[in-house]
Amino acid sequence: MNPSHDHSYKLLFSEPEIIRDLLQGFVHEPWVGELDFSTLESVATSYVTDDLRHREDDVIWRVKSRHQWIYVYLLIEFQSTVDHYMAVRLMSYIGLLYQDLIKTRQTLPDRRLPPVFPVVLYNGDRRWRAPTELAELIATLPGGLARYRPTLRYLILDEGAYDLEALDPLPNLVAAIFRLEHHREPAAILEVISNLIEWLAAPEQTRLRRSFSVWINRVLHAPGEDRPTEPNDLREIKTMLAQRIPQWLQEARLQGEAQGEARGKPGGRLGGKPGAKPRAKPKRC
């Protein structure tokens, strides 16, 4: 994964509209309907533990529900392997958040701590199979010890597990991100960008349009590739892609022919299952 892609991806989830669409479109729980999204605030994500380790890579927001703050802790996983102990990691991170809220006197008036909703956004190739409840990672406790077992549950949003056809009709910015990450057909990618141009037409959405433009460029270009000045507008990106579609299709056709020839040669460099149909996959130009 290109580190610049990591940064631009997290930049997207630093936009309130993205967090709103994530909660409304992908968290199907009653409490979401009680949130006042006009109160969404980004929270600084640098917590220092006693041994001076920093945690700066996560995205944390807070939003009011009936005059009470709720914290949304979004952990974005770019790693290709599934972390079996993610629930333990989240317990540590949320503990750091609570320590910071106590230190800065941001507890509730009755000295209780505000609720935290932990979300893991994962875009690896393998499907997520790690336990989403901390209790599943702890051995069965004898006698009365069970009541001391810590509890924590997180929501996993595994991008690759979503049906793209089900996401296509959704007027949702996070659904658009998932579609752009996983669509392989050039025409489908152009359709998503056309959707974004329509949805983000308002003058006050200039910054969000720019964030999407930066991220899409990172997705389409290979790490370290020497390329011309990046388009800084979604319409420019759409025009650029439309011009490159014939090239992509030609490359896909040639690749399919090469794979077909390689199957008939014992020494062929390219492999493939007999009868497999090559997909027209746009080059990460």
Side-chain angles (χ1 to χ4, degrees), residues 13 17 19 24 39 44-45 53 103 109 113 136-137 139 193 210-211 233-234 237 239 242 244 253 258 260 281 284:
F13 285 89
E17 295 93 337
I19 301 301
Q24 290 183 328
T39 65
T45 57
R53 289 178 299 181
K103 185 185 302 182
L113 294 164
E136 295 179 37
L137 295 170
I193 295 176
R210 174 59 180 165
S211 294
D233 181 83
L234 289 171
I237 292 176
T239 300
R244 293 187 180 183
R253 184 182 65 79
K281 180 178 179 181
R284 287 184 180 265

mmCIF file with all atom_site columns, all heavy atoms in Angstrom, residues 13 17 19 24 39 44-45 53 103 109 113 136-137 139 193 210-211 233-234 237 239 242 244 253 258 260 281 284:
data_model
loop_
_atom_site.group_PDB
_atom_site.id
_atom_site.type_symbol
_atom_site.label_atom_id
_atom_site.label_alt_id
_atom_site.label_comp_id
_atom_site.label_asym_id
_atom_site.label_entity_id
_atom_site.label_seq_id
_atom_site.pdbx_PDB_ins_code
_atom_site.Cartn_x
_atom_site.Cartn_y
_atom_site.Cartn_z
_atom_site.occupancy
_atom_site.B_iso_or_equiv
_atom_site.pdbx_formal_charge
_atom_site.auth_seq_id
_atom_site.auth_comp_id
_atom_site.auth_asym_id
_atom_site.auth_atom_id
_atom_site.pdbx_PDB_model_num
ATOM 1   N N   . PHE A 1 13  ? -11.516 10.614  5.813   1.00 0.00 ? 13  PHE A N   1
ATOM 2   C CA  . PHE A 1 13  ? -12.280 10.348  7.030   1.00 0.00 ? 13  PHE A CA  1
ATOM 3   C C   . PHE A 1 13  ? -12.043 11.414  8.101   1.00 0.00 ? 13  PHE A C   1
ATOM 4   O O   . PHE A 1 13  ? -12.461 11.249  9.240   1.00 0.00 ? 13  PHE A O   1
ATOM 5   C CB  . PHE A 1 13  ? -11.968 8.946   7.542   1.00 0.00 ? 13  PHE A CB  1
ATOM 6   C CG  . PHE A 1 13  ? -12.627 7.881   6.723   1.00 0.00 ? 13  PHE A CG  1
ATOM 7   C CD1 . PHE A 1 13  ? -11.984 7.338   5.616   1.00 0.00 ? 13  PHE A CD1 1
ATOM 8   C CD2 . PHE A 1 13  ? -13.912 7.462   7.013   1.00 0.00 ? 13  PHE A CD2 1
ATOM 9   C CE1 . PHE A 1 13  ? -12.610 6.375   4.835   1.00 0.00 ? 13  PHE A CE1 1
ATOM 10  C CE2 . PHE A 1 13  ? -14.544 6.506   6.238   1.00 0.00 ? 13  PHE A CE2 1
ATOM 11  C CZ  . PHE A 1 13  ? -13.889 5.959   5.145   1.00 0.00 ? 13  PHE A CZ  1
ATOM 12  N N   . GLU A 1 17  ? -18.739 15.079  6.571   1.00 0.00 ? 17  GLU A N   1
ATOM 13  C CA  . GLU A 1 17  ? -19.734 14.448  5.698   1.00 0.00 ? 17  GLU A CA  1
ATOM 14  C C   . GLU A 1 17  ? -19.478 12.951  5.547   1.00 0.00 ? 17  GLU A C   1
ATOM 15  O O   . GLU A 1 17  ? -20.423 12.158  5.427   1.00 0.00 ? 17  GLU A O   1
ATOM 16  C CB  . GLU A 1 17  ? -19.719 15.115  4.311   1.00 0.00 ? 17  GLU A CB  1
ATOM 17  C CG  . GLU A 1 17  ? -20.150 16.574  4.315   1.00 0.00 ? 17  GLU A CG  1
ATOM 18  C CD  . GLU A 1 17  ? -18.973 17.524  4.455   1.00 0.00 ? 17  GLU A CD  1
ATOM 19  O OE1 . GLU A 1 17  ? -17.918 17.108  4.968   1.00 0.00 ? 17  GLU A OE1 1
ATOM 20  O OE2 . GLU A 1 17  ? -19.121 18.702  4.052   1.00 0.00 ? 17  GLU A OE2 1
ATOM 21  N N   . ILE A 1 19  ? -18.026 10.948  7.834   1.00 0.00 ? 19  ILE A N   1
ATOM 22  C CA  . ILE A 1 19  ? -18.411 10.285  9.084   1.00 0.00 ? 19  ILE A CA  1
ATOM 23  C C   . ILE A 1 19  ? -19.930 10.179  9.185   1.00 0.00 ? 19  ILE A C   1
ATOM 24  O O   . ILE A 1 19  ? -20.469 9.148   9.605   1.00 0.00 ? 19  ILE A O   1
ATOM 25  C CB  . ILE A 1 19  ? -17.837 11.047  10.289  1.00 0.00 ? 19  ILE A CB  1
ATOM 26  C CG1 . ILE A 1 19  ? -16.307 11.114  10.200  1.00 0.00 ? 19  ILE A CG1 1
ATOM 27  C CG2 . ILE A 1 19  ? -18.266 10.388  11.595  1.00 0.00 ? 19  ILE A CG2 1
ATOM 28  C CD1 . ILE A 1 19  ? -15.621 9.759   10.149  1.00 0.00 ? 19  ILE A CD1 1
ATOM 29  N N   . GLN A 1 24  ? -24.740 6.787   9.074   1.00 0.00 ? 24  GLN A N   1
ATOM 30  C CA  . GLN A 1 24  ? -26.103 6.635   8.576   1.00 0.00 ? 24  GLN A CA  1
ATOM 31  C C   . GLN A 1 24  ? -26.251 5.480   7.589   1.00 0.00 ? 24  GLN A C   1
ATOM 32  O O   . GLN A 1 24  ? -27.303 4.836   7.547   1.00 0.00 ? 24  GLN A O   1
ATOM 33  C CB  . GLN A 1 24  ? -26.555 7.942   7.901   1.00 0.00 ? 24  GLN A CB  1
ATOM 34  C CG  . GLN A 1 24  ? -26.770 9.089   8.873   1.00 0.00 ? 24  GLN A CG  1
ATOM 35  C CD  . GLN A 1 24  ? -27.295 10.340  8.186   1.00 0.00 ? 24  GLN A CD  1
ATOM 36  O OE1 . GLN A 1 24  ? -26.979 10.612  7.015   1.00 0.00 ? 24  GLN A OE1 1
ATOM 37  N NE2 . GLN A 1 24  ? -28.086 11.113  8.890   1.00 0.00 ? 24  GLN A NE2 1
ATOM 38  N N   . THR A 1 39  ? -23.354 18.701  15.141  1.00 0.00 ? 39  THR A N   1
ATOM 39  C CA  . THR A 1 39  ? -22.406 18.878  16.249  1.00 0.00 ? 39  THR A CA  1
ATOM 40  C C   . THR A 1 39  ? -21.117 18.072  16.056  1.00 0.00 ? 39  THR A C   1
ATOM 41  O O   . THR A 1 39  ? -20.268 18.062  16.949  1.00 0.00 ? 39  THR A O   1
ATOM 42  C CB  . THR A 1 39  ? -23.055 18.449  17.581  1.00 0.00 ? 39  THR A CB  1
ATOM 43  O OG1 . THR A 1 39  ? -23.329 17.030  17.547  1.00 0.00 ? 39  THR A OG1 1
ATOM 44  C CG2 . THR A 1 39  ? -24.355 19.201  17.829  1.00 0.00 ? 39  THR A CG2 1
ATOM 45  N N   . ALA A 1 44  ? -8.495  15.510  18.593  1.00 0.00 ? 44  ALA A N   1
ATOM 46  C CA  . ALA A 1 44  ? -7.066  15.264  18.413  1.00 0.00 ? 44  ALA A CA  1
ATOM 47  C C   . ALA A 1 44  ? -6.746  13.827  18.775  1.00 0.00 ? 44  ALA A C   1
ATOM 48  O O   . ALA A 1 44  ? -7.241  13.299  19.773  1.00 0.00 ? 44  ALA A O   1
ATOM 49  C CB  . ALA A 1 44  ? -6.251  16.219  19.275  1.00 0.00 ? 44  ALA A CB  1
ATOM 50  N N   . THR A 1 45  ? -5.882  13.188  17.980  1.00 0.00 ? 45  THR A N   1
ATOM 51  C CA  . THR A 1 45  ? -5.609  11.761  18.184  1.00 0.00 ? 45  THR A CA  1
ATOM 52  C C   . THR A 1 45  ? -4.151  11.501  18.543  1.00 0.00 ? 45  THR A C   1
ATOM 53  O O   . THR A 1 45  ? -3.504  10.645  17.973  1.00 0.00 ? 45  THR A O   1
ATOM 54  C CB  . THR A 1 45  ? -5.964  10.960  16.919  1.00 0.00 ? 45  THR A CB  1
ATOM 55  O OG1 . THR A 1 45  ? -5.223  11.509  15.818  1.00 0.00 ? 45  THR A OG1 1
ATOM 56  C CG2 . THR A 1 45  ? -7.442  11.022  16.624  1.00 0.00 ? 45  THR A CG2 1
ATOM 57  N N   . ARG A 1 53  ? 4.854   6.395   24.251  1.00 0.00 ? 53  ARG A N   1
ATOM 58  C CA  . ARG A 1 53  ? 4.470   5.940   22.933  1.00 0.00 ? 53  ARG A CA  1
ATOM 59  C C   . ARG A 1 53  ? 3.276   6.762   22.453  1.00 0.00 ? 53  ARG A C   1
ATOM 60  O O   . ARG A 1 53  ? 2.399   7.105   23.230  1.00 0.00 ? 53  ARG A O   1
ATOM 61  C CB  . ARG A 1 53  ? 4.105   4.453   22.963  1.00 0.00 ? 53  ARG A CB  1
ATOM 62  C CG  . ARG A 1 53  ? 5.301   3.533   23.156  1.00 0.00 ? 53  ARG A CG  1
ATOM 63  C CD  . ARG A 1 53  ? 4.870   2.089   23.218  1.00 0.00 ? 53  ARG A CD  1
ATOM 64  N NE  . ARG A 1 53  ? 3.968   1.863   24.342  1.00 0.00 ? 53  ARG A NE  1
ATOM 65  C CZ  . ARG A 1 53  ? 3.454   0.681   24.641  1.00 0.00 ? 53  ARG A CZ  1
ATOM 66  N NH1 . ARG A 1 53  ? 3.706   -0.353  23.890  1.00 0.00 ? 53  ARG A NH1 1
ATOM 67  N NH2 . ARG A 1 53  ? 2.656   0.544   25.681  1.00 0.00 ? 53  ARG A NH2 1
ATOM 68  N N   . LYS A 1 103 ? -7.896  13.385  32.207  1.00 0.00 ? 103 LYS A N   1
ATOM 69  C CA  . LYS A 1 103 ? -6.824  14.352  32.455  1.00 0.00 ? 103 LYS A CA  1
ATOM 70  C C   . LYS A 1 103 ? -7.251  15.766  32.071  1.00 0.00 ? 103 LYS A C   1
ATOM 71  O O   . LYS A 1 103 ? -6.911  16.739  32.744  1.00 0.00 ? 103 LYS A O   1
ATOM 72  C CB  . LYS A 1 103 ? -5.580  13.952  31.660  1.00 0.00 ? 103 LYS A CB  1
ATOM 73  C CG  . LYS A 1 103 ? -4.354  14.806  31.919  1.00 0.00 ? 103 LYS A CG  1
ATOM 74  C CD  . LYS A 1 103 ? -3.208  14.417  31.001  1.00 0.00 ? 103 LYS A CD  1
ATOM 75  C CE  . LYS A 1 103 ? -2.846  12.953  31.174  1.00 0.00 ? 103 LYS A CE  1
ATOM 76  N NZ  . LYS A 1 103 ? -1.684  12.572  30.322  1.00 0.00 ? 103 LYS A NZ  1
ATOM 77  N N   . PRO A 1 109 ? -21.001 15.453  33.620  1.00 0.00 ? 109 PRO A N   1
ATOM 78  C CA  . PRO A 1 109 ? -21.208 16.173  34.889  1.00 0.00 ? 109 PRO A CA  1
ATOM 79  C C   . PRO A 1 109 ? -21.250 15.264  36.114  1.00 0.00 ? 109 PRO A C   1
ATOM 80  O O   . PRO A 1 109 ? -20.844 15.670  37.205  1.00 0.00 ? 109 PRO A O   1
ATOM 81  C CB  . PRO A 1 109 ? -22.553 16.877  34.660  1.00 0.00 ? 109 PRO A CB  1
ATOM 82  C CG  . PRO A 1 109 ? -22.630 17.083  33.177  1.00 0.00 ? 109 PRO A CG  1
ATOM 83  C CD  . PRO A 1 109 ? -21.973 15.866  32.585  1.00 0.00 ? 109 PRO A CD  1
ATOM 84  N N   . LEU A 1 113 ? -17.842 8.552   32.293  1.00 0.00 ? 113 LEU A N   1
ATOM 85  C CA  . LEU A 1 113 ? -17.177 8.735   31.009  1.00 0.00 ? 113 LEU A CA  1
ATOM 86  C C   . LEU A 1 113 ? -18.176 8.621   29.867  1.00 0.00 ? 113 LEU A C   1
ATOM 87  O O   . LEU A 1 113 ? -19.149 7.865   29.958  1.00 0.00 ? 113 LEU A O   1
ATOM 88  C CB  . LEU A 1 113 ? -16.076 7.689   30.841  1.00 0.00 ? 113 LEU A CB  1
ATOM 89  C CG  . LEU A 1 113 ? -14.903 7.811   31.816  1.00 0.00 ? 113 LEU A CG  1
ATOM 90  C CD1 . LEU A 1 113 ? -14.094 6.518   31.832  1.00 0.00 ? 113 LEU A CD1 1
ATOM 91  C CD2 . LEU A 1 113 ? -14.019 8.991   31.444  1.00 0.00 ? 113 LEU A CD2 1
ATOM 92  N N   . GLU A 1 136 ? -14.398 -13.281 23.566  1.00 0.00 ? 136 GLU A N   1
ATOM 93  C CA  . GLU A 1 136 ? -14.104 -14.487 22.795  1.00 0.00 ? 136 GLU A CA  1
ATOM 94  C C   . GLU A 1 136 ? -12.616 -14.834 22.820  1.00 0.00 ? 136 GLU A C   1
ATOM 95  O O   . GLU A 1 136 ? -12.232 -15.962 22.507  1.00 0.00 ? 136 GLU A O   1
ATOM 96  C CB  . GLU A 1 136 ? -14.552 -14.299 21.347  1.00 0.00 ? 136 GLU A CB  1
ATOM 97  C CG  . GLU A 1 136 ? -16.056 -14.143 21.176  1.00 0.00 ? 136 GLU A CG  1
ATOM 98  C CD  . GLU A 1 136 ? -16.425 -13.948 19.719  1.00 0.00 ? 136 GLU A CD  1
ATOM 99  O OE1 . GLU A 1 136 ? -15.782 -14.580 18.847  1.00 0.00 ? 136 GLU A OE1 1
ATOM 100 O OE2 . GLU A 1 136 ? -17.342 -13.157 19.432  1.00 0.00 ? 136 GLU A OE2 1
ATOM 101 N N   . LEU A 1 137 ? -11.783 -13.875 23.180  1.00 0.00 ? 137 LEU A N   1
ATOM 102 C CA  . LEU A 1 137 ? -10.342 -14.092 23.207  1.00 0.00 ? 137 LEU A CA  1
ATOM 103 C C   . LEU A 1 137 ? -9.837  -14.543 24.574  1.00 0.00 ? 137 LEU A C   1
ATOM 104 O O   . LEU A 1 137 ? -8.650  -14.819 24.735  1.00 0.00 ? 137 LEU A O   1
ATOM 105 C CB  . LEU A 1 137 ? -9.618  -12.801 22.809  1.00 0.00 ? 137 LEU A CB  1
ATOM 106 C CG  . LEU A 1 137 ? -9.850  -12.318 21.368  1.00 0.00 ? 137 LEU A CG  1
ATOM 107 C CD1 . LEU A 1 137 ? -9.278  -10.925 21.183  1.00 0.00 ? 137 LEU A CD1 1
ATOM 108 C CD2 . LEU A 1 137 ? -9.226  -13.288 20.372  1.00 0.00 ? 137 LEU A CD2 1
ATOM 109 N N   . ALA A 1 139 ? -9.964  -17.095 27.883  1.00 0.00 ? 139 ALA A N   1
ATOM 110 C CA  . ALA A 1 139 ? -10.330 -18.461 28.260  1.00 0.00 ? 139 ALA A CA  1
ATOM 111 C C   . ALA A 1 139 ? -11.481 -18.465 29.257  1.00 0.00 ? 139 ALA A C   1
ATOM 112 O O   . ALA A 1 139 ? -11.688 -17.503 30.009  1.00 0.00 ? 139 ALA A O   1
ATOM 113 C CB  . ALA A 1 139 ? -9.110  -19.170 28.859  1.00 0.00 ? 139 ALA A CB  1
ATOM 114 N N   . ILE A 1 193 ? -17.294 8.314   -10.159 1.00 0.00 ? 193 ILE A N   1
ATOM 115 C CA  . ILE A 1 193 ? -16.787 9.693   -10.183 1.00 0.00 ? 193 ILE A CA  1
ATOM 116 C C   . ILE A 1 193 ? -17.875 10.653  -10.641 1.00 0.00 ? 193 ILE A C   1
ATOM 117 O O   . ILE A 1 193 ? -18.000 11.771  -10.117 1.00 0.00 ? 193 ILE A O   1
ATOM 118 C CB  . ILE A 1 193 ? -15.538 9.778   -11.077 1.00 0.00 ? 193 ILE A CB  1
ATOM 119 C CG1 . ILE A 1 193 ? -14.403 8.947   -10.456 1.00 0.00 ? 193 ILE A CG1 1
ATOM 120 C CG2 . ILE A 1 193 ? -15.093 11.229  -11.257 1.00 0.00 ? 193 ILE A CG2 1
ATOM 121 C CD1 . ILE A 1 193 ? -13.154 8.874   -11.285 1.00 0.00 ? 193 ILE A CD1 1
ATOM 122 N N   . ARG A 1 210 ? -11.766 18.331  -3.127  1.00 0.00 ? 210 ARG A N   1
ATOM 123 C CA  . ARG A 1 210 ? -10.304 18.263  -3.239  1.00 0.00 ? 210 ARG A CA  1
ATOM 124 C C   . ARG A 1 210 ? -9.766  17.014  -2.541  1.00 0.00 ? 210 ARG A C   1
ATOM 125 O O   . ARG A 1 210 ? -8.873  16.345  -3.068  1.00 0.00 ? 210 ARG A O   1
ATOM 126 C CB  . ARG A 1 210 ? -9.691  19.532  -2.617  1.00 0.00 ? 210 ARG A CB  1
ATOM 127 C CG  . ARG A 1 210 ? -8.170  19.524  -2.528  1.00 0.00 ? 210 ARG A CG  1
ATOM 128 C CD  . ARG A 1 210 ? -7.520  19.380  -3.877  1.00 0.00 ? 210 ARG A CD  1
ATOM 129 N NE  . ARG A 1 210 ? -6.069  19.363  -3.771  1.00 0.00 ? 210 ARG A NE  1
ATOM 130 C CZ  . ARG A 1 210 ? -5.256  18.960  -4.736  1.00 0.00 ? 210 ARG A CZ  1
ATOM 131 N NH1 . ARG A 1 210 ? -5.747  18.560  -5.893  1.00 0.00 ? 210 ARG A NH1 1
ATOM 132 N NH2 . ARG A 1 210 ? -3.955  18.961  -4.560  1.00 0.00 ? 210 ARG A NH2 1
ATOM 133 N N   . SER A 1 211 ? -10.314 16.677  -1.385  1.00 0.00 ? 211 SER A N   1
ATOM 134 C CA  . SER A 1 211 ? -9.865  15.478  -0.670  1.00 0.00 ? 211 SER A CA  1
ATOM 135 C C   . SER A 1 211 ? -10.109 14.227  -1.505  1.00 0.00 ? 211 SER A C   1
ATOM 136 O O   . SER A 1 211 ? -9.259  13.335  -1.585  1.00 0.00 ? 211 SER A O   1
ATOM 137 C CB  . SER A 1 211 ? -10.587 15.364  0.675   1.00 0.00 ? 211 SER A CB  1
ATOM 138 O OG  . SER A 1 211 ? -10.227 16.421  1.536   1.00 0.00 ? 211 SER A OG  1
ATOM 139 N N   . ASP A 1 233 ? -9.242  18.340  -9.682  1.00 0.00 ? 233 ASP A N   1
ATOM 140 C CA  . ASP A 1 233 ? -10.684 18.485  -9.750  1.00 0.00 ? 233 ASP A CA  1
ATOM 141 C C   . ASP A 1 233 ? -11.279 17.173  -10.244 1.00 0.00 ? 233 ASP A C   1
ATOM 142 O O   . ASP A 1 233 ? -10.706 16.499  -11.107 1.00 0.00 ? 233 ASP A O   1
ATOM 143 C CB  . ASP A 1 233 ? -11.049 19.638  -10.694 1.00 0.00 ? 233 ASP A CB  1
ATOM 144 C CG  . ASP A 1 233 ? -12.545 19.842  -10.773 1.00 0.00 ? 233 ASP A CG  1
ATOM 145 O OD1 . ASP A 1 233 ? -13.103 20.513  -9.891  1.00 0.00 ? 233 ASP A OD1 1
ATOM 146 O OD2 . ASP A 1 233 ? -13.163 19.316  -11.713 1.00 0.00 ? 233 ASP A OD2 1
ATOM 147 N N   . LEU A 1 234 ? -12.432 16.809  -9.699  1.00 0.00 ? 234 LEU A N   1
ATOM 148 C CA  . LEU A 1 234 ? -13.059 15.545  -10.082 1.00 0.00 ? 234 LEU A CA  1
ATOM 149 C C   . LEU A 1 234 ? -13.409 15.499  -11.568 1.00 0.00 ? 234 LEU A C   1
ATOM 150 O O   . LEU A 1 234 ? -13.306 14.446  -12.203 1.00 0.00 ? 234 LEU A O   1
ATOM 151 C CB  . LEU A 1 234 ? -14.318 15.323  -9.244  1.00 0.00 ? 234 LEU A CB  1
ATOM 152 C CG  . LEU A 1 234 ? -14.094 14.994  -7.764  1.00 0.00 ? 234 LEU A CG  1
ATOM 153 C CD1 . LEU A 1 234 ? -15.411 15.003  -7.001  1.00 0.00 ? 234 LEU A CD1 1
ATOM 154 C CD2 . LEU A 1 234 ? -13.409 13.637  -7.606  1.00 0.00 ? 234 LEU A CD2 1
ATOM 155 N N   . ILE A 1 237 ? -10.324 14.617  -13.456 1.00 0.00 ? 237 ILE A N   1
ATOM 156 C CA  . ILE A 1 237 ? -10.015 13.193  -13.293 1.00 0.00 ? 237 ILE A CA  1
ATOM 157 C C   . ILE A 1 237 ? -10.912 12.355  -14.201 1.00 0.00 ? 237 ILE A C   1
ATOM 158 O O   . ILE A 1 237 ? -10.459 11.405  -14.848 1.00 0.00 ? 237 ILE A O   1
ATOM 159 C CB  . ILE A 1 237 ? -10.187 12.771  -11.827 1.00 0.00 ? 237 ILE A CB  1
ATOM 160 C CG1 . ILE A 1 237 ? -9.101  13.435  -10.966 1.00 0.00 ? 237 ILE A CG1 1
ATOM 161 C CG2 . ILE A 1 237 ? -10.110 11.252  -11.682 1.00 0.00 ? 237 ILE A CG2 1
ATOM 162 C CD1 . ILE A 1 237 ? -9.247  13.163  -9.488  1.00 0.00 ? 237 ILE A CD1 1
ATOM 163 N N   . THR A 1 239 ? -12.296 13.233  -17.015 1.00 0.00 ? 239 THR A N   1
ATOM 164 C CA  . THR A 1 239 ? -11.844 13.403  -18.397 1.00 0.00 ? 239 THR A CA  1
ATOM 165 C C   . THR A 1 239 ? -10.591 12.577  -18.674 1.00 0.00 ? 239 THR A C   1
ATOM 166 O O   . THR A 1 239 ? -10.478 11.913  -19.707 1.00 0.00 ? 239 THR A O   1
ATOM 167 C CB  . THR A 1 239 ? -11.558 14.888  -18.677 1.00 0.00 ? 239 THR A CB  1
ATOM 168 O OG1 . THR A 1 239 ? -12.762 15.645  -18.483 1.00 0.00 ? 239 THR A OG1 1
ATOM 169 C CG2 . THR A 1 239 ? -11.071 15.085  -20.106 1.00 0.00 ? 239 THR A CG2 1
ATOM 170 N N   . ALA A 1 242 ? -11.546 8.888   -18.890 1.00 0.00 ? 242 ALA A N   1
ATOM 171 C CA  . ALA A 1 242 ? -12.269 8.592   -20.118 1.00 0.00 ? 242 ALA A CA  1
ATOM 172 C C   . ALA A 1 242 ? -11.307 8.465   -21.292 1.00 0.00 ? 242 ALA A C   1
ATOM 173 O O   . ALA A 1 242 ? -11.495 7.626   -22.188 1.00 0.00 ? 242 ALA A O   1
ATOM 174 C CB  . ALA A 1 242 ? -13.302 9.682   -20.391 1.00 0.00 ? 242 ALA A CB  1
ATOM 175 N N   . ARG A 1 244 ? -8.284  7.384   -21.081 1.00 0.00 ? 244 ARG A N   1
ATOM 176 C CA  . ARG A 1 244 ? -7.416  6.221   -20.905 1.00 0.00 ? 244 ARG A CA  1
ATOM 177 C C   . ARG A 1 244 ? -8.150  4.875   -21.013 1.00 0.00 ? 244 ARG A C   1
ATOM 178 O O   . ARG A 1 244 ? -7.515  3.832   -21.062 1.00 0.00 ? 244 ARG A O   1
ATOM 179 C CB  . ARG A 1 244 ? -6.724  6.286   -19.540 1.00 0.00 ? 244 ARG A CB  1
ATOM 180 C CG  . ARG A 1 244 ? -5.738  7.427   -19.444 1.00 0.00 ? 244 ARG A CG  1
ATOM 181 C CD  . ARG A 1 244 ? -4.960  7.370   -18.159 1.00 0.00 ? 244 ARG A CD  1
ATOM 182 N NE  . ARG A 1 244 ? -4.007  8.470   -18.084 1.00 0.00 ? 244 ARG A NE  1
ATOM 183 C CZ  . ARG A 1 244 ? -3.141  8.636   -17.096 1.00 0.00 ? 244 ARG A CZ  1
ATOM 184 N NH1 . ARG A 1 244 ? -3.114  7.771   -16.097 1.00 0.00 ? 244 ARG A NH1 1
ATOM 185 N NH2 . ARG A 1 244 ? -2.297  9.652   -17.083 1.00 0.00 ? 244 ARG A NH2 1
ATOM 186 N N   . ARG A 1 253 ? -7.016  -6.835  -23.113 1.00 0.00 ? 253 ARG A N   1
ATOM 187 C CA  . ARG A 1 253 ? -7.152  -7.808  -24.198 1.00 0.00 ? 253 ARG A CA  1
ATOM 188 C C   . ARG A 1 253 ? -5.823  -8.515  -24.462 1.00 0.00 ? 253 ARG A C   1
ATOM 189 O O   . ARG A 1 253 ? -5.757  -9.739  -24.600 1.00 0.00 ? 253 ARG A O   1
ATOM 190 C CB  . ARG A 1 253 ? -7.640  -7.104  -25.464 1.00 0.00 ? 253 ARG A CB  1
ATOM 191 C CG  . ARG A 1 253 ? -7.894  -8.058  -26.627 1.00 0.00 ? 253 ARG A CG  1
ATOM 192 C CD  . ARG A 1 253 ? -8.323  -7.289  -27.869 1.00 0.00 ? 253 ARG A CD  1
ATOM 193 N NE  . ARG A 1 253 ? -7.249  -6.429  -28.358 1.00 0.00 ? 253 ARG A NE  1
ATOM 194 C CZ  . ARG A 1 253 ? -6.205  -6.861  -29.079 1.00 0.00 ? 253 ARG A CZ  1
ATOM 195 N NH1 . ARG A 1 253 ? -6.118  -8.151  -29.399 1.00 0.00 ? 253 ARG A NH1 1
ATOM 196 N NH2 . ARG A 1 253 ? -5.292  -6.023  -29.496 1.00 0.00 ? 253 ARG A NH2 1
ATOM 197 N N   . ALA A 1 258 ? -2.111  -13.160 -23.871 1.00 0.00 ? 258 ALA A N   1
ATOM 198 C CA  . ALA A 1 258 ? -0.841  -13.705 -23.369 1.00 0.00 ? 258 ALA A CA  1
ATOM 199 C C   . ALA A 1 258 ? -1.090  -14.852 -22.407 1.00 0.00 ? 258 ALA A C   1
ATOM 200 O O   . ALA A 1 258 ? -0.383  -15.866 -22.420 1.00 0.00 ? 258 ALA A O   1
ATOM 201 C CB  . ALA A 1 258 ? -0.031  -12.598 -22.690 1.00 0.00 ? 258 ALA A CB  1
ATOM 202 N N   . GLY A 1 260 ? -3.697  -16.811 -22.416 1.00 0.00 ? 260 GLY A N   1
ATOM 203 C CA  . GLY A 1 260 ? -4.177  -17.942 -23.195 1.00 0.00 ? 260 GLY A CA  1
ATOM 204 C C   . GLY A 1 260 ? -3.043  -18.674 -23.880 1.00 0.00 ? 260 GLY A C   1
ATOM 205 O O   . GLY A 1 260 ? -3.006  -19.908 -23.916 1.00 0.00 ? 260 GLY A O   1
ATOM 206 N N   . LYS A 1 281 ? -9.160  -5.002  -16.174 1.00 0.00 ? 281 LYS A N   1
ATOM 207 C CA  . LYS A 1 281 ? -8.786  -4.299  -14.950 1.00 0.00 ? 281 LYS A CA  1
ATOM 208 C C   . LYS A 1 281 ? -7.959  -3.077  -15.288 1.00 0.00 ? 281 LYS A C   1
ATOM 209 O O   . LYS A 1 281 ? -6.900  -3.196  -15.900 1.00 0.00 ? 281 LYS A O   1
ATOM 210 C CB  . LYS A 1 281 ? -7.989  -5.231  -14.048 1.00 0.00 ? 281 LYS A CB  1
ATOM 211 C CG  . LYS A 1 281 ? -7.541  -4.586  -12.742 1.00 0.00 ? 281 LYS A CG  1
ATOM 212 C CD  . LYS A 1 281 ? -6.801  -5.581  -11.891 1.00 0.00 ? 281 LYS A CD  1
ATOM 213 C CE  . LYS A 1 281 ? -6.328  -4.961  -10.592 1.00 0.00 ? 281 LYS A CE  1
ATOM 214 N NZ  . LYS A 1 281 ? -5.593  -5.911  -9.753  1.00 0.00 ? 281 LYS A NZ  1
ATOM 215 N N   . ARG A 1 284 ? -3.198  0.646   -12.601 1.00 0.00 ? 284 ARG A N   1
ATOM 216 C CA  . ARG A 1 284 ? -3.002  1.739   -11.651 1.00 0.00 ? 284 ARG A CA  1
ATOM 217 C C   . ARG A 1 284 ? -1.944  2.663   -12.245 1.00 0.00 ? 284 ARG A C   1
ATOM 218 O O   . ARG A 1 284 ? -0.763  2.568   -11.956 1.00 0.00 ? 284 ARG A O   1
ATOM 219 C CB  . ARG A 1 284 ? -2.569  1.203   -10.308 1.00 0.00 ? 284 ARG A CB  1
ATOM 220 C CG  . ARG A 1 284 ? -3.726  0.529   -9.582  1.00 0.00 ? 284 ARG A CG  1
ATOM 221 C CD  . ARG A 1 284 ? -3.329  0.072   -8.204  1.00 0.00 ? 284 ARG A CD  1
ATOM 222 N NE  . ARG A 1 284 ? -4.444  -0.556  -7.551  1.00 0.00 ? 284 ARG A NE  1
ATOM 223 C CZ  . ARG A 1 284 ? -5.268  0.066   -6.722  1.00 0.00 ? 284 ARG A CZ  1
ATOM 224 N NH1 . ARG A 1 284 ? -5.094  1.325   -6.463  1.00 0.00 ? 284 ARG A NH1 1
ATOM 225 N NH2 . ARG A 1 284 ? -6.267  -0.591  -6.153  1.00 0.00 ? 284 ARG A NH2 1
#
